[in-house]
Each structure stands twice: as structure tokens, then as C-alpha cells.
Amino acid sequence: MAGCPAGYPMSALPSLPVAKPLTAYRPHWAKRLGVAPFLPMSREEMTQLGWDSCDIIVVTGDAYVDHPSFGMAIIGRALEAQGFRVGIIAQPDWQQRRAVQGTLGKPNLFFGVTAGNMDSMINRYTADRKIRSDDAYTPGNEGGRRPDRAALVYSQRCREAYKDVPIVIGGIEGSLRRVAHYDYWSGQGPPLDR
């Protein structure tokens, strides 16, 4: 039997609770504001929507395009469908704390951080560790707009800006960096003591 240790019947396995679909939860209070024509990227856009703050701010290494081929747009719209006011900070200046602090303000719930559609190291370097001259997820294919290990750097900027706000890391870098693995780029093993 698949999924069961040898010699044990399927009934011996503990039953796991079935997760409710996201839409089964009661919507957040801001749902009464309706669907926004765009997810704001600045204070001015928040003012146009009549928002005083965002519940969730998604920080991403990609340019923001409100299209289903971009992960942050899907996540943002799914959270908005549950009634959350979602803002986007796309490709912030990772060398300055103000890029996170002054753009949309402090989120009410958390920062959602992602490096974007691709791992930032693959996006920035070739397999021979040479810097790429372009970036497919940046306007004008301009390279160098995101740092190495972007999810970690963006998380650090969010933490510097607002120490008390939780950070949720997602995307390809969030899944790759959460387990111990050999890091090809640095030539080191698991980050056990770092």
C-alpha cells in the first residue's frame, strides 16, 4: 500500500485534519471597500483608493505587473479577495532603509517578502558566475536592480524599518533557503552555525 509502512494497514496511519479552503474563512473587515483597480505602490496611490494604511505589504524583487504570470500579483489579489488591503513595493533600493520605510508606511499585519519569479542568484549570475547584463523581470531588461539573496536582504530592510512587524518569506528563495543545502554560489555547506 502506498504511503503506509510495510506490514501496517492503512487504518493504522493517523488521520490528518483537512485544511479549509482560503475562501472558507471569514473575510477581513476591509473587504467592504471592494476590489481595488490596482494594488498601490505609493502613498499617493493609497490616497486615491481612500486607504490610510495597508494590512499587508508585499516586497518583491520583480517589477510589479498586475497580471497572473507574476506571483506577487496573484498573492496580492488572493489576499485582497479575503478583504485585506495589500500594497506592493517592487524592486526597492536595497541599499537604503528608506526604500521600505517611506514608500507605503507600516503594515498593520505583516510584510510578505519574495525575491520574485526567479532565484536572485540565478537571475543575476550565469552558471559560470559571471554577472548577467540583463534582467527579464525589470523594466527595460536593466540588470543589477536586485541584490544577491534578495529575500534575505529585503527582509533585513523591513526589519530595520519596523522591528515589531512580522515578516513572511515566500517564493523560490523562501523554499530553497529554509532547509540546509549546499550553496553553489558561496561553496559552503549547510548554514548551521551562521
Side-chain angles (χ1 to χ4, degrees), residues 116-187:
N117 288 343
M118 289 178 65
D119 180 276
S120 60
M121 299 299 284
I122 292 171
N123 199 328
R124 190 162 180 197
Y125 297 98
T126 67
D128 292 333
R129 298 181 182 166
K130 294 179 180 166
I131 294 180
R132 294 184 190 273
S133 59
D134 62 346
D135 182 345
Y137 296 101
T138 299
N141 286 338
E142 180 186 348
R145 293 285 305 271
R146 71 182 87 207
D148 294 350
R149 295 173 183 81
L152 297 175
V153 173
Y154 293 152
S155 296
Q156 181 181 8
R157 291 295 171 252
C158 293
R159 180 68 64 226
E160 288 171 358
Y162 302 105
K163 291 180 177 24
D164 59 333
V165 176
I167 297 171
V168 177
I169 299 177
I172 191 73
E173 284 194 22
S175 63
L176 287 174
R177 307 283 188 258
R178 71 180 175 175
V179 295
H181 70 286
Y182 175 77
D183 188 352
Y184 169 79
W185 304 103
S186 66

Side-chain angles (χ1 to χ4, degrees), residues 21-66:
L22 181 62
T23 55
Y25 291 92
R26 195 173 125 221
H28 194 62
W29 70 268
K31 184 163 184 147
R32 66 179 175 228
L33 297 173
V35 177
F38 54 87
L39 298 179
M41 295 180 55
S42 67
R43 287 274 190 189
E44 295 78 28
E45 292 177 354
M46 285 173 57
T47 302
Q48 289 175 14
L49 296 171
W51 297 1
D52 59 344
S53 64
C54 290
D55 297 316
I56 300 163
I57 296 176
V58 178
V59 181
T60 178
D62 289 340
Y64 171 59
V65 177
D66 199 358

